[in-house]
Amino acid sequence: DAEITQSPRHKITETGRQVTLACHQTWNHNNMFWYRQDLGHGLRLIHYSYGVQDTNKGEVSDGYSVSRSNTEDLPLTLESAASSQTSVYFCASSPGHQSFYEQYFGPGTRLTVT
Amino acid sequence: AQSVTQLGSHVSVSEGALVLLRCNYSSSVPPYLFWYVQYPNQGLQLLLKYTSAATLVKGINGFEAEFKKSETSFHLTKPSAHMSDAAEYFCAVSRLSGGYQKVTFGTGTKLQVIP
């Protein structure tokens, strides 16, 4: 069965370190997204990609970067981790550019920055 | 521009009682609307979606939602709550912008089911 996986599921890191969160999907979807989930804010879009070599900034992109070298993977990098980036991170994918497509979510990565 | 408002960050119902979770949207074009459910320590999964085929949409686990254009609402209901319905629910709106899909999520409603 096709799926979307995230690793690690839990991560503790120190302020200032570079951290990369992995996202891998076997749906062969063009669109991939990274969100962070915080109490009171729901889901906020960090970065997204509509295909290989395409990346775009979302509403809370400062301090984060992504790259899309293939269809399956969209790793999220925190260049220099800050305590404000302690959150739960979700990766999602969708098939294409039509509005009626739902998103398929990974299980999430809980990141703690100390 | 588009936005989603979910009224009530927490809703409590008794087991067997009606579940009503409210969602109002704002969109400059006809929207596609979704309800997602998130169980503890899991990702979001689709409950149901409105794609203009029918205003009353039935989803999984006995949930349904009605699209009311005049009220710009897409409230989620279930006639009888079950303990397993305890979760967080997110409403989302999707539209095309510049040829690409743009999705906006609400802030979520946490449903507590009291035995």
Side-chain angles (χ1 to χ4, degrees), chain A residues 9 31 33 35 37 39-43 45 48 50 90 94 96-108 110, chain B residues 32 34 36 38 41-46 49-51 88 90 94-97 99-103 105-108 110:
Chain A
R9 294 294 313 277
N31 300 349
F33 310 84
Y35 296 91
Q37 184 178 28
L39 275 175
H41 292 279
L43 288 168
L45 185 63
Y48 56 101
Y50 291 134
F90 288 98
S94 70
H97 299 312
Q98 297 305 314
S99 294
F100 53 76
Y101 286 128
E102 65 265 32
Q103 295 188 353
Y104 296 73
F105 284 81
R110 185 175 296 274
Chain B
Y32 291 99
F34 304 80
Y36 289 85
Q38 183 183 31
N41 300 313
Q42 294 185 27
L44 281 69
Q45 55 185 276
L46 183 70
K49 65 179 179 181
Y50 167 73
T51 58
E88 190 159 18
F90 291 90
S94 172
R95 67 180 179 92
L96 284 182
S97 176
Y100 296 97
Q101 183 191 35
K102 298 289 187 185
V103 180
F105 285 86
T107 52
K110 192 161 287 189

Side-chain angles (χ1 to χ4, degrees), chain A residues 1-5 23-29 32 71-73 93 104:
Chain A
D1 285 348
E3 61 178 354
I4 180 166
T5 57
C23 174
H24 179 80
Q25 54 100 358
T26 58
W27 294 99
N28 200 33
H29 286 168
M32 295 184 73
T71 301
E72 297 80 16
D73 299 290
S93 69
Y104 296 73

Side-chain angles (χ1 to χ4, degrees), chain A residues 5 7 13-15 21 34-35 63 71 77 87-88 93 95 97 101 106-107:
Chain A
T5 57
S7 62
T13 191
E14 295 177 346
T15 301
L21 309 183
W34 273 104
Y35 296 91
T71 301
T77 297
S87 185
V88 181
S93 69
H97 299 312
Y101 286 128

Side-chain angles (χ1 to χ4, degrees), chain B residues 58-81:
Chain B
K58 293 187 184 298
I60 61 172
N61 302 336
F63 283 92
E64 61 182 37
E66 186 172 9
F67 173 71
K68 291 188 177 181
K69 185 178 178 180
S70 61
E71 299 178 5
T72 61
S73 69
F74 190 57
H75 302 331
L76 182 70
T77 60
K78 181 174 181 178
S80 176

Side-chain angles (χ1 to χ4, degrees), chain A residues 18-92:
Chain A
Q18 183 180 80
V19 177
T20 296
L21 309 183
C23 174
H24 179 80
Q25 54 100 358
T26 58
W27 294 99
N28 200 33
H29 286 168
N30 287 322
N31 300 349
M32 295 184 73
F33 310 84
W34 273 104
Y35 296 91
R36 59 178 289 174
Q37 184 178 28
D38 306 285
L39 275 175
H41 292 279
L43 288 168
R44 291 184 291 176
L45 185 63
I46 306 171
H47 281 286
Y48 56 101
S49 168
Y50 291 134
V52 176
Q53 302 300 331
D54 176 76
T55 61
N56 306 279
K57 294 181 178 180
E59 61 180 299
V60 291
S61 60
D62 287 349
Y64 303 95
S65 64
V66 293
S67 62
R68 187 92 179 267
S69 59
N70 58 51
T71 301
E72 297 80 16
D73 299 290
L74 187 71
L76 177 71
T77 297
L78 285 69
E79 303 295 342
S80 177
S83 57
S84 60
Q85 294 177 309
T86 292
S87 185
V88 181
Y89 291 85
F90 288 98
C91 181

